[in-house]
Amino acid sequence: MKKSVLTRYRVMAYVTGVLLVLLTFGVIAKYLLDMDGADGFTRVVGIAHGWLYVVYLVFAFDLGSKAKWPVSKQLWVLLAGTIPTAAFFVERKVSRELEGKIAEDSPAVAKA
């Protein structure tokens, strides 16, 4: 597996996680605090999170299939983008696990 597969998953995990936290704050501001402007903010962030979550799903599925994960682990990683802050913790755990495998798989470079 290439390091780029892990890198693009990590980027999308952070983007999805940040947008979901912002969306959560927007929903709290809109419905609990009844703030002006929260409606527009929530709409824009919600649409952005929705579209980028689809990209996250594609990259996470690609990563899981190349890492040969069991279905249960694959589902947990896919659902992490729907639980506020879960994407950050799952991304960190997945990165630690796979960085070791990527280092083992990469050929050693001989120095002259």
Side-chain angles (χ1 to χ4, degrees):
M1 176 174 51
K2 294 182 180 180
K3 186 170 177 69
S4 63
V5 175
L6 178 60
T7 302
R8 67 184 184 189
Y9 161 75
R10 291 183 72 188
V11 168
M12 288 311 301
Y14 278 110
V15 169
T16 303
V18 167
L19 285 174
L20 188 56
V21 168
L22 289 174
L23 182 61
T24 302
F25 288 146
V27 168
I28 290 170
K30 180 179 175 181
Y31 292 108
L32 294 179
L33 304 176
D34 201 27
M35 293 178 68
D36 292 333
D39 184 39
F41 177 80
T42 303
R43 183 180 312 116
V44 170
V45 173
I47 291 170
H49 172 70
W51 282 104
L52 291 173
Y53 178 67
V54 173
V55 176
Y56 168 81
L57 288 176
V58 171
F59 288 165
F61 184 78
D62 183 43
L63 178 69
S65 63
K66 289 181 179 172
K68 296 181 173 82
W69 286 339
V71 174
S72 59
K73 184 172 185 173
Q74 182 76 30
L75 286 174
W76 173 241
V77 172
L78 293 173
L79 290 174
T82 63
I83 303 167
T85 70
F88 303 118
F89 297 108
V90 172
E91 179 276 327
R92 191 69 237 146
K93 184 177 179 185
V94 165
S95 294
R96 284 185 186 148
E97 174 191 322
L98 292 180
E99 283 174 346
K101 285 184 180 181
I102 290 172
E104 290 172 2
D105 292 346
S106 64
V109 177
K111 294 185 179 179

PDB file of all heavy atoms in Angstrom, residues 9 13 16-17 20 49 53 56-58 60-61 69 71-88 90-91:
ATOM      1  N   TYR A   9      -6.571   9.808   3.062  1.00  0.00           N
ATOM      2  CA  TYR A   9      -7.566   9.470   4.082  1.00  0.00           C
ATOM      3  C   TYR A   9      -7.422  10.406   5.273  1.00  0.00           C
ATOM      4  O   TYR A   9      -8.415  10.901   5.803  1.00  0.00           O
ATOM      5  CB  TYR A   9      -7.412   8.011   4.536  1.00  0.00           C
ATOM      6  CG  TYR A   9      -8.070   7.768   5.866  1.00  0.00           C
ATOM      7  CD1 TYR A   9      -9.452   7.689   5.973  1.00  0.00           C
ATOM      8  CD2 TYR A   9      -7.323   7.682   7.035  1.00  0.00           C
ATOM      9  CE1 TYR A   9     -10.069   7.512   7.204  1.00  0.00           C
ATOM     10  CE2 TYR A   9      -7.925   7.505   8.262  1.00  0.00           C
ATOM     11  CZ  TYR A   9      -9.295   7.425   8.337  1.00  0.00           C
ATOM     12  OH  TYR A   9      -9.901   7.271   9.558  1.00  0.00           O
ATOM     13  N   ALA A  13     -10.221  12.883   6.745  1.00  0.00           N
ATOM     14  CA  ALA A  13     -10.709  12.647   8.109  1.00  0.00           C
ATOM     15  C   ALA A  13     -10.698  13.949   8.896  1.00  0.00           C
ATOM     16  O   ALA A  13     -11.660  14.269   9.609  1.00  0.00           O
ATOM     17  CB  ALA A  13      -9.865  11.587   8.804  1.00  0.00           C
ATOM     18  N   THR A  16     -13.416  16.378   7.349  1.00  0.00           N
ATOM     19  CA  THR A  16     -14.746  15.923   7.744  1.00  0.00           C
ATOM     20  C   THR A  16     -14.993  16.153   9.226  1.00  0.00           C
ATOM     21  O   THR A  16     -16.067  16.603   9.632  1.00  0.00           O
ATOM     22  CB  THR A  16     -14.916  14.422   7.421  1.00  0.00           C
ATOM     23  OG1 THR A  16     -14.679  14.224   6.038  1.00  0.00           O
ATOM     24  CG2 THR A  16     -16.308  13.936   7.750  1.00  0.00           C
ATOM     25  N   GLY A  17     -13.998  15.880  10.053  1.00  0.00           N
ATOM     26  CA  GLY A  17     -14.131  16.082  11.488  1.00  0.00           C
ATOM     27  C   GLY A  17     -14.337  17.538  11.866  1.00  0.00           C
ATOM     28  O   GLY A  17     -15.202  17.865  12.685  1.00  0.00           O
ATOM     29  N   LEU A  20     -17.788  18.676  10.795  1.00  0.00           N
ATOM     30  CA  LEU A  20     -18.838  18.121  11.652  1.00  0.00           C
ATOM     31  C   LEU A  20     -18.891  18.842  12.998  1.00  0.00           C
ATOM     32  O   LEU A  20     -19.977  19.098  13.526  1.00  0.00           O
ATOM     33  CB  LEU A  20     -18.639  16.623  11.847  1.00  0.00           C
ATOM     34  CG  LEU A  20     -19.764  15.894  12.572  1.00  0.00           C
ATOM     35  CD1 LEU A  20     -21.101  16.109  11.856  1.00  0.00           C
ATOM     36  CD2 LEU A  20     -19.456  14.424  12.673  1.00  0.00           C
ATOM     37  N   HIS A  49     -20.187  19.616   4.495  1.00  0.00           N
ATOM     38  CA  HIS A  49     -19.889  18.361   5.189  1.00  0.00           C
ATOM     39  C   HIS A  49     -20.496  17.172   4.444  1.00  0.00           C
ATOM     40  O   HIS A  49     -19.849  16.130   4.312  1.00  0.00           O
ATOM     41  CB  HIS A  49     -20.415  18.390   6.627  1.00  0.00           C
ATOM     42  CG  HIS A  49     -20.314  17.062   7.309  1.00  0.00           C
ATOM     43  ND1 HIS A  49     -19.120  16.515   7.681  1.00  0.00           N
ATOM     44  CD2 HIS A  49     -21.267  16.156   7.646  1.00  0.00           C
ATOM     45  CE1 HIS A  49     -19.342  15.334   8.232  1.00  0.00           C
ATOM     46  NE2 HIS A  49     -20.637  15.096   8.228  1.00  0.00           N
ATOM     47  N   TYR A  53     -18.115  14.423   3.031  1.00  0.00           N
ATOM     48  CA  TYR A  53     -18.236  13.123   3.693  1.00  0.00           C
ATOM     49  C   TYR A  53     -18.274  11.999   2.654  1.00  0.00           C
ATOM     50  O   TYR A  53     -17.724  10.923   2.882  1.00  0.00           O
ATOM     51  CB  TYR A  53     -19.473  13.071   4.589  1.00  0.00           C
ATOM     52  CG  TYR A  53     -19.667  11.740   5.263  1.00  0.00           C
ATOM     53  CD1 TYR A  53     -18.772  11.292   6.225  1.00  0.00           C
ATOM     54  CD2 TYR A  53     -20.729  10.903   4.920  1.00  0.00           C
ATOM     55  CE1 TYR A  53     -18.929  10.057   6.842  1.00  0.00           C
ATOM     56  CE2 TYR A  53     -20.899   9.675   5.534  1.00  0.00           C
ATOM     57  CZ  TYR A  53     -19.994   9.261   6.491  1.00  0.00           C
ATOM     58  OH  TYR A  53     -20.147   8.034   7.089  1.00  0.00           O
ATOM     59  N   TYR A  56     -14.792  11.428   1.779  1.00  0.00           N
ATOM     60  CA  TYR A  56     -14.198  10.698   2.910  1.00  0.00           C
ATOM     61  C   TYR A  56     -14.553   9.210   2.829  1.00  0.00           C
ATOM     62  O   TYR A  56     -13.689   8.354   3.056  1.00  0.00           O
ATOM     63  CB  TYR A  56     -14.687  11.299   4.226  1.00  0.00           C
ATOM     64  CG  TYR A  56     -14.388  10.471   5.441  1.00  0.00           C
ATOM     65  CD1 TYR A  56     -13.137  10.510   6.043  1.00  0.00           C
ATOM     66  CD2 TYR A  56     -15.357   9.632   6.002  1.00  0.00           C
ATOM     67  CE1 TYR A  56     -12.855   9.740   7.167  1.00  0.00           C
ATOM     68  CE2 TYR A  56     -15.085   8.867   7.119  1.00  0.00           C
ATOM     69  CZ  TYR A  56     -13.834   8.920   7.698  1.00  0.00           C
ATOM     70  OH  TYR A  56     -13.565   8.161   8.801  1.00  0.00           O
ATOM     71  N   LEU A  57     -15.797   8.900   2.535  1.00  0.00           N
ATOM     72  CA  LEU A  57     -16.218   7.496   2.427  1.00  0.00           C
ATOM     73  C   LEU A  57     -15.428   6.757   1.355  1.00  0.00           C
ATOM     74  O   LEU A  57     -14.992   5.618   1.567  1.00  0.00           O
ATOM     75  CB  LEU A  57     -17.713   7.406   2.116  1.00  0.00           C
ATOM     76  CG  LEU A  57     -18.682   7.757   3.223  1.00  0.00           C
ATOM     77  CD1 LEU A  57     -20.108   7.711   2.703  1.00  0.00           C
ATOM     78  CD2 LEU A  57     -18.516   6.838   4.404  1.00  0.00           C
ATOM     79  N   VAL A  58     -15.247   7.392   0.217  1.00  0.00           N
ATOM     80  CA  VAL A  58     -14.501   6.767  -0.880  1.00  0.00           C
ATOM     81  C   VAL A  58     -13.061   6.493  -0.460  1.00  0.00           C
ATOM     82  O   VAL A  58     -12.535   5.388  -0.644  1.00  0.00           O
ATOM     83  CB  VAL A  58     -14.554   7.644  -2.151  1.00  0.00           C
ATOM     84  CG1 VAL A  58     -13.604   7.137  -3.223  1.00  0.00           C
ATOM     85  CG2 VAL A  58     -15.980   7.719  -2.684  1.00  0.00           C
ATOM     86  N   ALA A  60     -11.791   6.353   2.647  1.00  0.00           N
ATOM     87  CA  ALA A  60     -11.728   5.411   3.765  1.00  0.00           C
ATOM     88  C   ALA A  60     -11.979   3.987   3.280  1.00  0.00           C
ATOM     89  O   ALA A  60     -11.318   3.044   3.741  1.00  0.00           O
ATOM     90  CB  ALA A  60     -12.743   5.796   4.836  1.00  0.00           C
ATOM     91  N   PHE A  61     -12.913   3.807   2.360  1.00  0.00           N
ATOM     92  CA  PHE A  61     -13.170   2.476   1.811  1.00  0.00           C
ATOM     93  C   PHE A  61     -11.960   1.970   1.040  1.00  0.00           C
ATOM     94  O   PHE A  61     -11.584   0.799   1.147  1.00  0.00           O
ATOM     95  CB  PHE A  61     -14.414   2.486   0.919  1.00  0.00           C
ATOM     96  CG  PHE A  61     -14.768   1.127   0.402  1.00  0.00           C
ATOM     97  CD1 PHE A  61     -15.417   0.210   1.214  1.00  0.00           C
ATOM     98  CD2 PHE A  61     -14.431   0.757  -0.885  1.00  0.00           C
ATOM     99  CE1 PHE A  61     -15.721  -1.058   0.751  1.00  0.00           C
ATOM    100  CE2 PHE A  61     -14.732  -0.499  -1.363  1.00  0.00           C
ATOM    101  CZ  PHE A  61     -15.384  -1.410  -0.542  1.00  0.00           C
ATOM    102  N   TRP A  69      -8.901  -4.850   5.891  1.00  0.00           N
ATOM    103  CA  TRP A  69      -9.560  -4.815   7.186  1.00  0.00           C
ATOM    104  C   TRP A  69     -10.795  -5.703   7.177  1.00  0.00           C
ATOM    105  O   TRP A  69     -11.438  -5.874   6.148  1.00  0.00           O
ATOM    106  CB  TRP A  69     -10.023  -3.407   7.510  1.00  0.00           C
ATOM    107  CG  TRP A  69      -8.942  -2.461   7.885  1.00  0.00           C
ATOM    108  CD1 TRP A  69      -7.701  -2.754   8.343  1.00  0.00           C
ATOM    109  CD2 TRP A  69      -9.016  -1.031   7.822  1.00  0.00           C
ATOM    110  NE1 TRP A  69      -7.006  -1.607   8.586  1.00  0.00           N
ATOM    111  CE2 TRP A  69      -7.775  -0.541   8.273  1.00  0.00           C
ATOM    112  CE3 TRP A  69      -9.990  -0.137   7.441  1.00  0.00           C
ATOM    113  CZ2 TRP A  69      -7.504   0.822   8.357  1.00  0.00           C
ATOM    114  CZ3 TRP A  69      -9.724   1.211   7.528  1.00  0.00           C
ATOM    115  CH2 TRP A  69      -8.484   1.681   7.977  1.00  0.00           C
ATOM    116  N   VAL A  71     -14.787  -6.396   7.973  1.00  0.00           N
ATOM    117  CA  VAL A  71     -15.938  -5.526   7.721  1.00  0.00           C
ATOM    118  C   VAL A  71     -16.271  -4.660   8.928  1.00  0.00           C
ATOM    119  O   VAL A  71     -16.594  -3.480   8.787  1.00  0.00           O
ATOM    120  CB  VAL A  71     -17.166  -6.369   7.291  1.00  0.00           C
ATOM    121  CG1 VAL A  71     -18.401  -5.508   7.163  1.00  0.00           C
ATOM    122  CG2 VAL A  71     -16.876  -7.088   5.990  1.00  0.00           C
ATOM    123  N   SER A  72     -16.173  -5.209  10.125  1.00  0.00           N
ATOM    124  CA  SER A  72     -16.521  -4.433  11.327  1.00  0.00           C
ATOM    125  C   SER A  72     -15.609  -3.222  11.498  1.00  0.00           C
ATOM    126  O   SER A  72     -16.076  -2.126  11.831  1.00  0.00           O
ATOM    127  CB  SER A  72     -16.464  -5.321  12.564  1.00  0.00           C
ATOM    128  OG  SER A  72     -15.164  -5.859  12.719  1.00  0.00           O
ATOM    129  N   LYS A  73     -14.332  -3.392  11.262  1.00  0.00           N
ATOM    130  CA  LYS A  73     -13.406  -2.261  11.368  1.00  0.00           C
ATOM    131  C   LYS A  73     -13.669  -1.253  10.258  1.00  0.00           C
ATOM    132  O   LYS A  73     -13.632  -0.041  10.481  1.00  0.00           O
ATOM    133  CB  LYS A  73     -11.965  -2.748  11.301  1.00  0.00           C
ATOM    134  CG  LYS A  73     -10.959  -1.633  11.507  1.00  0.00           C
ATOM    135  CD  LYS A  73      -9.567  -2.184  11.630  1.00  0.00           C
ATOM    136  CE  LYS A  73      -8.610  -1.066  11.966  1.00  0.00           C
ATOM    137  NZ  LYS A  73      -7.275  -1.579  12.254  1.00  0.00           N
ATOM    138  N   GLN A  74     -13.938  -1.751   9.081  1.00  0.00           N
ATOM    139  CA  GLN A  74     -14.236  -0.873   7.945  1.00  0.00           C
ATOM    140  C   GLN A  74     -15.465  -0.011   8.244  1.00  0.00           C
ATOM    141  O   GLN A  74     -15.465   1.179   8.000  1.00  0.00           O
ATOM    142  CB  GLN A  74     -14.473  -1.716   6.692  1.00  0.00           C
ATOM    143  CG  GLN A  74     -14.749  -0.932   5.444  1.00  0.00           C
ATOM    144  CD  GLN A  74     -13.496  -0.317   4.861  1.00  0.00           C
ATOM    145  OE1 GLN A  74     -12.417  -0.858   5.007  1.00  0.00           O
ATOM    146  NE2 GLN A  74     -13.635   0.807   4.220  1.00  0.00           N
ATOM    147  N   LEU A  75     -16.509  -0.615   8.791  1.00  0.00           N
ATOM    148  CA  LEU A  75     -17.724   0.135   9.121  1.00  0.00           C
ATOM    149  C   LEU A  75     -17.462   1.193  10.182  1.00  0.00           C
ATOM    150  O   LEU A  75     -17.993   2.305  10.105  1.00  0.00           O
ATOM    151  CB  LEU A  75     -18.834  -0.813   9.576  1.00  0.00           C
ATOM    152  CG  LEU A  75     -19.488  -1.625   8.485  1.00  0.00           C
ATOM    153  CD1 LEU A  75     -20.470  -2.626   9.092  1.00  0.00           C
ATOM    154  CD2 LEU A  75     -20.188  -0.738   7.486  1.00  0.00           C
ATOM    155  N   TRP A  76     -16.661   0.853  11.197  1.00  0.00           N
ATOM    156  CA  TRP A  76     -16.359   1.826  12.242  1.00  0.00           C
ATOM    157  C   TRP A  76     -15.635   3.042  11.664  1.00  0.00           C
ATOM    158  O   TRP A  76     -15.941   4.182  11.998  1.00  0.00           O
ATOM    159  CB  TRP A  76     -15.533   1.187  13.355  1.00  0.00           C
ATOM    160  CG  TRP A  76     -15.059   2.177  14.354  1.00  0.00           C
ATOM    161  CD1 TRP A  76     -13.779   2.473  14.659  1.00  0.00           C
ATOM    162  CD2 TRP A  76     -15.863   3.044  15.170  1.00  0.00           C
ATOM    163  NE1 TRP A  76     -13.737   3.457  15.610  1.00  0.00           N
ATOM    164  CE2 TRP A  76     -14.997   3.824  15.949  1.00  0.00           C
ATOM    165  CE3 TRP A  76     -17.230   3.228  15.314  1.00  0.00           C
ATOM    166  CZ2 TRP A  76     -15.455   4.778  16.851  1.00  0.00           C
ATOM    167  CZ3 TRP A  76     -17.679   4.184  16.211  1.00  0.00           C
ATOM    168  CH2 TRP A  76     -16.802   4.939  16.973  1.00  0.00           C
ATOM    169  N   VAL A  77     -14.675   2.818  10.777  1.00  0.00           N
ATOM    170  CA  VAL A  77     -13.946   3.930  10.163  1.00  0.00           C
ATOM    171  C   VAL A  77     -14.886   4.753   9.285  1.00  0.00           C
ATOM    172  O   VAL A  77     -14.822   5.990   9.282  1.00  0.00           O
ATOM    173  CB  VAL A  77     -12.732   3.410   9.362  1.00  0.00           C
ATOM    174  CG1 VAL A  77     -12.073   4.515   8.573  1.00  0.00           C
ATOM    175  CG2 VAL A  77     -11.719   2.766  10.299  1.00  0.00           C
ATOM    176  N   LEU A  78     -15.776   4.100   8.559  1.00  0.00           N
ATOM    177  CA  LEU A  78     -16.712   4.824   7.701  1.00  0.00           C
ATOM    178  C   LEU A  78     -17.689   5.668   8.520  1.00  0.00           C
ATOM    179  O   LEU A  78     -18.036   6.784   8.135  1.00  0.00           O
ATOM    180  CB  LEU A  78     -17.480   3.853   6.805  1.00  0.00           C
ATOM    181  CG  LEU A  78     -16.648   3.121   5.747  1.00  0.00           C
ATOM    182  CD1 LEU A  78     -17.495   2.069   5.049  1.00  0.00           C
ATOM    183  CD2 LEU A  78     -16.043   4.070   4.748  1.00  0.00           C
ATOM    184  N   LEU A  79     -18.142   5.153   9.648  1.00  0.00           N
ATOM    185  CA  LEU A  79     -19.096   5.879  10.488  1.00  0.00           C
ATOM    186  C   LEU A  79     -18.448   6.967  11.341  1.00  0.00           C
ATOM    187  O   LEU A  79     -19.146   7.822  11.885  1.00  0.00           O
ATOM    188  CB  LEU A  79     -19.854   4.911  11.388  1.00  0.00           C
ATOM    189  CG  LEU A  79     -20.850   4.012  10.675  1.00  0.00           C
ATOM    190  CD1 LEU A  79     -21.442   3.001  11.645  1.00  0.00           C
ATOM    191  CD2 LEU A  79     -21.954   4.842  10.045  1.00  0.00           C
ATOM    192  N   ALA A  80     -17.129   6.956  11.453  1.00  0.00           N
ATOM    193  CA  ALA A  80     -16.443   7.951  12.283  1.00  0.00           C
ATOM    194  C   ALA A  80     -16.681   9.376  11.791  1.00  0.00           C
ATOM    195  O   ALA A  80     -16.616  10.319  12.580  1.00  0.00           O
ATOM    196  CB  ALA A  80     -14.947   7.663  12.325  1.00  0.00           C
ATOM    197  N   GLY A  81     -16.997   9.541  10.522  1.00  0.00           N
ATOM    198  CA  GLY A  81     -17.269  10.873   9.990  1.00  0.00           C
ATOM    199  C   GLY A  81     -18.645  11.403  10.325  1.00  0.00           C
ATOM    200  O   GLY A  81     -18.990  12.518   9.947  1.00  0.00           O
ATOM    201  N   THR A  82     -19.444  10.614  11.040  1.00  0.00           N
ATOM    202  CA  THR A  82     -20.789  11.057  11.410  1.00  0.00           C
ATOM    203  C   THR A  82     -20.913  11.358  12.899  1.00  0.00           C
ATOM    204  O   THR A  82     -21.949  11.852  13.333  1.00  0.00           O
ATOM    205  CB  THR A  82     -21.838   9.985  11.050  1.00  0.00           C
ATOM    206  OG1 THR A  82     -21.584   8.805  11.813  1.00  0.00           O
ATOM    207  CG2 THR A  82     -21.817   9.665   9.573  1.00  0.00           C
ATOM    208  N   ILE A  83     -19.883  11.060  13.675  1.00  0.00           N
ATOM    209  CA  ILE A  83     -19.905  11.291  15.120  1.00  0.00           C
ATOM    210  C   ILE A  83     -18.919  12.417  15.421  1.00  0.00           C
ATOM    211  O   ILE A  83     -17.729  12.283  15.119  1.00  0.00           O
ATOM    212  CB  ILE A  83     -19.501  10.009  15.892  1.00  0.00           C
ATOM    213  CG1 ILE A  83     -20.436   8.863  15.519  1.00  0.00           C
ATOM    214  CG2 ILE A  83     -19.507  10.260  17.389  1.00  0.00           C
ATOM    215  CD1 ILE A  83     -19.958   7.508  15.960  1.00  0.00           C
ATOM    216  N   PRO A  84     -19.385  13.525  15.993  1.00  0.00           N
ATOM    217  CA  PRO A  84     -18.466  14.643  16.253  1.00  0.00           C
ATOM    218  C   PRO A  84     -17.240  14.203  17.051  1.00  0.00           C
ATOM    219  O   PRO A  84     -17.359  13.493  18.044  1.00  0.00           O
ATOM    220  CB  PRO A  84     -19.316  15.634  17.048  1.00  0.00           C
ATOM    221  CG  PRO A  84     -20.721  15.326  16.636  1.00  0.00           C
ATOM    222  CD  PRO A  84     -20.753  13.831  16.413  1.00  0.00           C
ATOM    223  N   THR A  85     -16.087  14.581  16.610  1.00  0.00           N
ATOM    224  CA  THR A  85     -14.742  14.321  17.138  1.00  0.00           C
ATOM    225  C   THR A  85     -14.277  12.876  16.972  1.00  0.00           C
ATOM    226  O   THR A  85     -13.100  12.604  17.185  1.00  0.00           O
ATOM    227  CB  THR A  85     -14.582  14.731  18.626  1.00  0.00           C
ATOM    228  OG1 THR A  85     -15.334  13.860  19.451  1.00  0.00           O
ATOM    229  CG2 THR A  85     -14.981  16.173  18.854  1.00  0.00           C
ATOM    230  N   ALA A  86     -15.117  11.948  16.585  1.00  0.00           N
ATOM    231  CA  ALA A  86     -14.683  10.556  16.426  1.00  0.00           C
ATOM    232  C   ALA A  86     -13.670  10.405  15.297  1.00  0.00           C
ATOM    233  O   ALA A  86     -12.753   9.589  15.384  1.00  0.00           O
ATOM    234  CB  ALA A  86     -15.875   9.642  16.178  1.00  0.00           C
ATOM    235  N   ALA A  87     -13.810  11.194  14.256  1.00  0.00           N
ATOM    236  CA  ALA A  87     -12.898  11.093  13.116  1.00  0.00           C
ATOM    237  C   ALA A  87     -11.451  11.356  13.540  1.00  0.00           C
ATOM    238  O   ALA A  87     -10.522  10.736  13.016  1.00  0.00           O
ATOM    239  CB  ALA A  87     -13.307  12.056  12.012  1.00  0.00           C
ATOM    240  N   PHE A  88     -11.248  12.252  14.492  1.00  0.00           N
ATOM    241  CA  PHE A  88      -9.893  12.571  14.942  1.00  0.00           C
ATOM    242  C   PHE A  88      -9.255  11.381  15.656  1.00  0.00           C
ATOM    243  O   PHE A  88      -8.095  11.053  15.425  1.00  0.00           O
ATOM    244  CB  PHE A  88      -9.899  13.790  15.872  1.00  0.00           C
ATOM    245  CG  PHE A  88     -10.509  15.013  15.250  1.00  0.00           C
ATOM    246  CD1 PHE A  88     -11.636  15.588  15.797  1.00  0.00           C
ATOM    247  CD2 PHE A  88      -9.957  15.592  14.124  1.00  0.00           C
ATOM    248  CE1 PHE A  88     -12.205  16.712  15.239  1.00  0.00           C
ATOM    249  CE2 PHE A  88     -10.512  16.719  13.542  1.00  0.00           C
ATOM    250  CZ  PHE A  88     -11.646  17.282  14.107  1.00  0.00           C
ATOM    251  N   VAL A  90     -10.221   8.122  15.555  1.00  0.00           N
ATOM    252  CA  VAL A  90     -10.101   6.960  14.662  1.00  0.00           C
ATOM    253  C   VAL A  90      -8.954   7.169  13.684  1.00  0.00           C
ATOM    254  O   VAL A  90      -8.171   6.247  13.423  1.00  0.00           O
ATOM    255  CB  VAL A  90     -11.438   6.701  13.926  1.00  0.00           C
ATOM    256  CG1 VAL A  90     -11.284   5.642  12.854  1.00  0.00           C
ATOM    257  CG2 VAL A  90     -12.514   6.306  14.922  1.00  0.00           C
ATOM    258  N   GLU A  91      -8.810   8.383  13.167  1.00  0.00           N
ATOM    259  CA  GLU A  91      -7.716   8.676  12.232  1.00  0.00           C
ATOM    260  C   GLU A  91      -6.372   8.443  12.895  1.00  0.00           C
ATOM    261  O   GLU A  91      -5.469   7.859  12.307  1.00  0.00           O
ATOM    262  CB  GLU A  91      -7.833  10.119  11.738  1.00  0.00           C
ATOM    263  CG  GLU A  91      -6.728  10.544  10.780  1.00  0.00           C
ATOM    264  CD  GLU A  91      -5.469  11.006  11.470  1.00  0.00           C
ATOM    265  OE1 GLU A  91      -5.563  11.589  12.571  1.00  0.00           O
ATOM    266  OE2 GLU A  91      -4.380  10.772  10.915  1.00  0.00           O
TER     267      GLU A  91
END
